[in-house]
Amino acid sequence: MPEATTQDKEDAQAHAEPQRLMQAKGLPARAARRGKAVILVTIRKVWHFMLEAKGLRQAPAVTHKITKIWRKGNQQSHLPDPIIPPSEAVRNEDDYLENIKKFPKDLDGYSQLGNFYIDQNNYEDAKNVFDYLTKHAPAQSEYWARLGYCQLQLEQHHTAIDSYNKSMALDSSHPNRYYNLALAYTGLQQWGNSAKSLRKALELEPHNVKYMHALADVYNRMNRPEQAREMSQRIARLDSVVRHEE
């Protein structure tokens, strides 16, 4: 089809130009060198080379307002998985990039860079990193979950839903990913899907009060007061048990 032919040409050009510039400076295709000589390439970050070499585009810098859908939620508690703190030897972006330069085929280095961006609340760059990783390791559920988390923080709810569904199709054992999926559905006011995701989270972690509060809120928004009341009673029973044990 003509459209496909045109798109193929555009994709080829998008791949070729960044690679030509990089090779002219002795840069490998998957990571950029940071030598002492002046590099006359008009790209702000070394990471841009790595993205554009794979046909990816760096989004313009945008300040995103993060909306907490449920007031009692804690932003850090929404993380798809615990992030391992960087080692003492790795302290800033340049260190991560230098490590990628040395080991350009090691995807863990890219993942560490993405986690660093998340720790810095730099969700746009983190999203680009994990988008890169999902293209190169699509069977890794963790990469899809981290991509979904970044999209959720950027209020890109449709793409966050898609990423979380792909993550859980690979590994459905993480209740917090269902919770994050519910957040994305809530952002679109898809209350039925949000409730379904929260019920799944509670199946995996039945005593999580945060999930219960969220589900009670969703039931109220769905005009299901009886179910909301049942969830509130369940929370009260758990609180009573905790006070009794104390």
Side-chain angles (χ1 to χ4, degrees):
M1 295 175 63
E3 292 80 7
T5 301
T6 301
Q7 185 63 53
D8 288 343
K9 290 181 180 179
E10 292 177 352
D11 290 345
Q13 291 173 355
H15 279 73
E17 183 60 17
Q19 290 177 343
R20 185 187 66 78
L21 293 173
M22 293 167 70
Q23 291 171 358
K25 297 300 175 181
L27 298 170
R30 298 192 61 165
R33 294 185 182 277
R34 299 177 68 86
K36 294 182 180 180
V38 176
I39 298 177
L40 301 178
V41 180
T42 58
I43 299 181
R44 184 174 63 87
K45 288 184 179 180
V46 176
W47 178 242
H48 293 189
F49 283 117
M50 291 181 284
L51 292 176
E52 292 185 2
K54 297 299 177 183
L56 303 176
R57 294 299 178 190
Q58 181 73 20
V62 178
T63 301
H64 294 274
K65 181 180 180 181
I66 306 303
T67 302
K68 292 184 179 179
I69 297 175
W70 289 302
R71 292 181 179 180
K72 293 187 178 181
N74 181 296
Q75 181 176 325
Q76 291 300 319
S77 69
H78 300 166
L79 288 172
D81 286 310
I83 291 180
I84 300 174
S87 67
E88 290 298 321
V90 182
R91 299 177 182 272
N92 56 50
E93 181 186 43
D94 287 341
D95 291 327
Y96 288 100
L97 292 170
E98 184 67 21
N99 185 58
I100 290 173
K101 180 193 74 174
K102 293 178 181 177
F103 307 102
K105 294 183 179 181
D106 183 5
L107 294 184
D108 285 343
Y110 297 85
S111 181
Q112 290 170 11
L113 176 63
N115 291 339
F116 168 79
Y117 285 142
I118 289 177
D119 288 340
Q120 299 297 311
N121 297 331
N122 182 356
Y123 300 114
E124 189 65 49
D125 279 342
K127 182 190 75 171
N128 287 333
V129 173
F130 287 109
D131 183 58
Y132 173 91
L133 286 170
T134 58
K135 286 179 170 59
H136 288 78
Q140 290 291 331
S141 66
E142 178 183 342
Y143 295 159
W144 287 109
R146 299 231 190 262
L147 176 59
Y149 175 71
C150 295
Q151 292 163 334
L152 179 61
Q153 297 306 310
L154 295 171
E155 300 183 35
Q156 297 169 359
H157 298 116
H158 286 98
T159 52
I161 289 168
D162 182 61
S163 295
Y164 272 116
N165 279 326
K166 288 178 178 177
S167 171
M168 290 179 292
L170 294 165
D171 182 358
S172 60
S173 65
H174 298 270
N176 51 347
R177 295 180 189 178
Y178 284 101
Y179 176 72
N180 283 347
L181 179 60
L183 287 174
Y185 281 127
T186 295
L188 298 175
Q189 298 186 5
Q190 294 184 14
W191 310 119
N193 287 328
S194 182
K196 180 179 178 180
S197 298
L198 289 167
R199 286 194 295 268
K200 183 61 179 179
L202 281 168
E203 286 178 13
L204 296 170
E205 197 172 336
H207 296 147
N208 190 305
V209 174
K210 179 178 71 174
Y211 301 166
M212 295 179 195
H213 277 295
L215 185 53
D217 180 67
V218 169
Y219 281 146
N220 279 321
R221 293 175 183 272
M222 296 173 69
N223 196 26
R224 295 184 179 178
E226 291 185 4
Q227 290 175 294
R229 190 179 308 112
E230 289 176 3
M231 192 56 55
S232 297
Q233 291 171 349
R234 184 173 169 183
I235 294 170
R237 286 195 297 270
L238 278 176
D239 288 343
S240 177
V241 171
V242 171
R243 287 194 299 270
H244 179 73
E245 291 178 349
E246 291 176 349

